[in-house]
Amino acid sequence: MTPDIPNDPTAVSSEAQPARPARSLKPWVIASFVLAGISAVLSALALLIATGILPPLRDGAALETQLHAYLLANPDVIVESVNGMEARRQAAAENELTAIITQRHDEIFNDPSSPVGANPKGDVTLVEFFDYNCPYCRRAAPILDSLEQDDKGLRIVFKEYPILGPGSVFAARAALASQKQGKYLIFHKAMMTYGGRISESSSLEVAAAAGLDVERLKKDMQDPAIDETIKRNLALAQALRISGTPTFVAGKEILPGLADAEAMKRLITSARGS
């Protein structure tokens, strides 16, 4: 039994980019912004008429003419309205995510089934959602190692988030099962430095090279609790609007995609101060 992974590749991003470009707005979204801008213009016109700056309009044609003239003379009105709506939409989305992080704090930061890095007693927690087949996750691994070594108060929580196919699912299950042998971090780091595609055979190959008892690992992977952990991670990622790897959570912030050490340090510092 494996977690339900979307069959449609467009349902979940295959991997995070170092810097994600903004998604293009859908036509209906643009239309709603324009309509909102026009509404703002109409409100402004009504105010100008009420205050006597513009003469009262007697018919629709006059309204259309003045509206057209006003828009030509003041094109920034619609732009400002659209920008204002987008800013309010983004602020609302951020507030919603902050509320979700607060509500699901223990599930995010203190789930006992989620492996923890070398500093389990740290004073600040950084959570990583990752996939062993994600090249950007592999590039993030040495950055996390360096941060963890330099900051003994940094506690890293690993969320197995296998979204890149059956090989990733098998690897996630094997990694979680390796905890029963007390070798998760050894196995995890070996997987992150593996040079090829992660599959069932390569996962077992890495496990053997890392000193795990492979036959015991296979048996431990059958524990239903492992599949439940992965399912919870997938559901949690969906609730947090996470669609790609790597994605980091600290404090009340979410940082999607591969980030450099300085960006990670800023996230950690912000989490410490929250």
Side-chain angles (χ1 to χ4, degrees), residues 22 36 40 104 230 263:
R104 306 184 73 160
I230 295 175

Side-chain angles (χ1 to χ4, degrees), residues 174-212:
L176 291 173
S178 72
Q179 293 183 98
K180 295 179 182 293
Q181 298 184 45
K183 294 186 176 181
Y184 176 85
L185 292 180
I186 295 174
F187 181 69
H188 175 80
K189 291 181 179 181
M191 292 286 276
M192 283 300 182
T193 56
Y194 184 74
R197 177 79 181 173
I198 296 297
S199 62
E200 179 174 343
S201 60
S202 61
S203 295
L204 297 178
E205 174 188 332
V206 171
L212 277 84

Side-chain angles (χ1 to χ4, degrees), residues 10 17 23 49 53 84 102 106 110 129 148 157 169 192 211 215 223 259:
T10 63
Q17 301 300 322
R23 295 180 181 178
I49 292 171
I53 297 175
T102 300
D106 284 344
N110 300 315
F129 287 79
E148 193 175 44
V157 171
V169 175
M192 283 300 182
E215 293 306 314
D223 185 347

Side-chain angles (χ1 to χ4, degrees), residues 82-178:
V82 170
N83 289 342
M85 283 194 65
E86 174 60 16
R88 289 192 294 274
R89 183 203 65 77
Q90 185 171 354
E94 290 175 355
N95 289 338
E96 181 184 3
L97 280 178
T98 297
I100 293 172
I101 292 173
T102 300
Q103 292 167 2
R104 306 184 73 160
H105 181 275
D106 284 344
E107 187 179 354
I108 297 169
F109 299 104
N110 300 315
D111 185 340
S113 69
S114 295
V116 179
N119 305 323
K121 301 295 185 180
D123 65 317
V124 64
T125 299
L126 175 68
V127 177
E128 181 192 20
F129 287 79
F130 70 94
D131 184 303
Y132 286 115
N133 271 312
C134 167
Y136 300 106
C137 297
R138 296 184 188 184
R139 288 168 59 182
I143 297 175
L144 293 178
D145 286 343
S146 178
L147 291 172
E148 193 175 44
Q149 291 171 15
D150 294 341
D151 184 350
K152 299 305 180 182
L154 176 60
R155 174 177 176 265
I156 298 178
V157 171
F158 299 102
K159 294 287 188 183
E160 301 281 345
Y161 183 46
I163 58 175
L164 300 180
S168 295
V169 175
F170 185 92
R173 295 175 66 237
L176 291 173
S178 72

